[in-house]
Amino acid sequence: MTSWFCDYAVLPRGVRRNVRITTQGDRIVSVTPRTRQQPTDEHLRGVTSPGIANGHSHAFHRALRGRTHGDGGNFWTWREQMYAVTQRLDPQTYGRLARAVYAEMLLAGYTVVGEFHYVHHAPGGRPYGDPNAMGNALIEAAREVGIRMTMLDTCYLSGGLQGAGHEPLDPVQQRFSDGSVDAWADRVGQLQPDAMTRVGAAVHSVRAVPRDDIAAVARIAGEGLGGVPGPMPLHVHVSEQPGENLACEVYYGCSPTELLHSCGALGPCTTAIHGSHLSERDIALWGEMHGIVCFCPTTERDLADGIGPARELASVGTRICIGSDQHAVIDPFEEVRGIEMHERLKSLERGRFGIGELVDMATTHGYQSLGWCDGGQLREGWLADFVTIRLDSPRTAGCGPEQIAYAATSADVTDVVVGGSRVVEHGAHAIGDVGRLLREAIVELRRPV
Ligand SMILES: [Zn+2]
């Protein structure tokens, strides 16, 4: 048994003072507010939040940070640069980069990550000896640094969608594809979950997967696969760009959300990534089907995607969570503030979301989206994942503890506990200098062949 004493803790009914948390193995045993510190307690100074979920990650995009933002263009020209990095990845280089990126996430306060993984095979689409060599490199990287992971293995079958239909894969995209849903399922069924790793499914988008194949993936995710029982989490990029909506409308005569609904792919275990351009009908469907939408505000603004209808979605009962997606920024406070602040700019109103709603986005809803339904709250019996944010930095000094999410940055995270183990202590990860590890891994990927 380990005991932790928090100056303040974010409990389900709000922030409380002097909270003692005991943990055993990977679970919380007790949570006692307004109590005294015991001599054996680990003292967590500042505000302790439940674990924070990063609902959407492409770990390799981290190699593009600080290199693509001043070049003009749009999402599609950025994608060309992203594809150039893709070509340099192999299980060794990707594993080294991912290890450093996941360590950076832990330092920032993320305790669980949903890795939306589609770079499956060697260039040209040739499978590795272990057909899951790339996915296993990512899972191993997460285990090594101690972040919880849901491997969202992604079905990717076609090169794009135009009004006339789906296009063939281009040479870069060939390594993303298994060729068919059956081959995708055979490979994904071999992934091994454990106490820190879950396996979920993903459809890259309506651009990359035709209608009947979306229906097949949704059916498999509902039933379970390999040793993984259903329903598995199902993630899909949805309506990030107006161009996707237009192509879908012309080819199928409906929106991407309506297409997913007609395929049986919308439900409480489905998460739409982005949802930047949703119609009123789409918003109503996400609400009726009790789905989840993952906003990635720092990515969406960097790529000039647009501002999604967060308030409208939440008002019809859709759960909202956050993701760092392309990792131009890895900072959960920035993402969750981004949702509220973008709403303010759009609506000319403050307080579009209450602080409790913002906490749920960062914690419970993200855990639910990733299939960890007993995580994201400081409660007896729940996963022992929590994050401490200091109240004495230049950014947070003088803040009320209940409003710290409006002021803190990732630099204010001091301690991170995942599954009962402290993986970040006093702002440092045991792996060492994470900046150096990131630089080395990125230099390796950018070195001329
Ligand atoms: Zn994405």
Side-chain angles (χ1 to χ4, degrees):
M1 186 93 82
T2 309
S3 55
W4 314 81
F5 185 79
C6 313
D7 294 342
Y8 298 91
V10 182
L11 303 188
R13 289 160 154 243
V15 174
R16 296 288 182 271
R17 274 190 91 142
N18 298 333
V19 179
R20 191 162 184 264
I21 300 172
T22 59
T23 61
Q24 175 91 56
D26 69 350
R27 298 281 152 177
I28 294 171
V29 175
S30 66
V31 179
T32 314
R34 290 186 292 277
T35 188
R36 284 176 192 281
Q37 185 175 358
Q38 305 294 318
T40 53
D41 291 350
E42 301 278 347
H43 188 181
L44 298 172
R45 293 182 169 78
V47 181
T48 296
S49 155
I52 299 174
N54 188 349
H56 189 63
S57 160
H58 307 285
F60 73 94
H61 291 189
R62 176 63 181 81
L64 296 166
R65 184 189 297 175
R67 292 179 174 273
T68 63
H69 318 293
D71 304 347
N74 56 24
F75 169 85
W76 306 102
T77 51
W78 169 84
R79 194 176 75 158
E80 291 304 314
Q81 297 175 298
M82 185 267 280
Y83 277 5
V85 171
T86 309
Q87 298 186 49
R88 308 295 303 278
L89 298 170
D90 63 36
Q92 288 71 41
T93 57
Y94 202 3
R96 278 193 283 273
L97 176 61
R99 192 172 69 126
V101 173
Y102 296 148
E104 182 187 354
M105 286 183 198
L106 285 165
L107 288 175
Y110 286 121
T111 47
V112 59
V113 58
E115 182 62 38
F116 197 106
H117 168 57
Y118 57 83
V119 188
H120 300 302
H121 305 296
R126 193 169 29 84
Y128 291 104
D130 166 8
N132 282 310
M134 292 291 262
N136 283 331
L138 297 171
I139 289 171
E140 192 48 45
R143 278 184 191 141
E144 215 179 310
V145 298
I147 196 166
R148 199 178 291 285
M149 170 187 269
T150 298
M151 165 53 63
L152 298 158
D153 198 298
T154 305
C155 186
Y156 199 120
L157 299 174
S158 88
L161 178 62
Q162 298 293 343
H166 287 91
E167 300 177 312
L169 298 161
D170 72 22
V172 176
Q173 294 166 329
Q174 282 168 3
R175 64 185 308 195
F176 307 162
S177 177
D178 293 292
S180 69
V181 174
D182 285 347
W184 167 83
D186 279 350
R187 184 179 52 70
V188 179
Q190 296 170 41
L191 289 168
Q192 298 292 324
D194 65 18
M196 287 283 283
T197 315
R198 295 240 158 115
V199 177
V203 163
H204 181 274
S205 56
V206 302
R207 292 179 273 126
V209 185
R211 174 165 52 195
D212 291 349
D213 296 312
I214 296 173
V217 173
R219 196 165 51 244
I220 291 167
E223 290 168 357
L225 183 59
V228 179
M232 301 157 75
L234 176 64
H235 284 218
V236 195
H237 289 120
V238 178
S239 296
E240 180 176 7
Q241 290 289 323
E244 173 182 302
N245 285 2
L246 182 63
C248 193
E249 201 63 57
V250 172
Y251 185 58
Y252 290 114
C254 64
S255 70
T257 293
E258 289 169 324
L259 186 74
L260 293 170
H261 184 51
S262 72
C263 293
L266 287 198
C269 299
T270 309
T271 298
I273 311 301
H274 302 303
S276 306
H277 302 279
L278 299 178
S279 68
E280 278 180 30
R281 167 78 182 138
D282 294 340
I283 293 167
L285 276 174
W286 283 102
E288 279 166 33
M289 300 309 290
H290 306 290
I292 304 174
V293 175
C294 180
F295 283 95
C296 308
T298 65
T299 293
E300 288 147 10
R301 63 195 182 206
D302 181 63
L303 297 181
D305 285 343
I307 302 174
R311 184 62 263 173
E312 290 85 346
L313 283 161
S315 296
V316 294
T318 314
R319 289 160 289 165
I320 301 211
C321 64
I322 56 166
S324 63
D325 190 4
Q326 62 150 334
H327 312 312
V329 175
I330 292 182
D331 184 332
F333 307 99
E334 190 66 23
E335 301 296 347
V336 82
R337 260 199 309 269
I339 293 180
E340 166 66 16
M341 295 303 164
H342 292 178
E343 279 286 326
R344 292 184 183 189
L345 287 173
K346 213 168 53 164
S347 67
L348 312 183
E349 283 176 17
R350 303 180 85 207
R352 296 280 286 172
F353 287 102
I355 187 68
E357 292 178 294
L358 297 179
V359 168
D360 285 346
M361 290 177 196
T363 59
T364 328
H365 293 171
Y367 271 77
Q368 290 170 354
S369 165
L370 297 175
W372 303 87
C373 293
D374 52 359
Q377 291 190 19
L378 298 175
R379 297 176 91 108
E380 278 175 32
W382 285 45
L383 292 169
D385 295 1
F386 38 92
V387 177
T388 303
I389 305 130
R390 57 192 288 194
L391 269 171
D392 60 353
S393 80
R395 291 161 296 278
T396 58
C399 289
E402 64 290 339
Q403 294 206 5
I404 196 166
Y406 290 106
T409 73
S410 56
D412 301 316
V413 170
T414 57
D415 294 85
V416 178
V417 172
V418 184
S421 300
R422 177 143 55 175
V423 289
V424 171
E425 188 163 1
H426 305 310
H429 191 289
I431 201 172
D433 182 345
V434 175
R436 182 175 58 78
L437 294 171
L438 281 163
R439 186 167 48 78
E440 287 171 358
I442 291 167
V443 165
E444 185 174 31
L445 281 177
R446 302 195 77 95
R447 194 176 291 144
V449 193

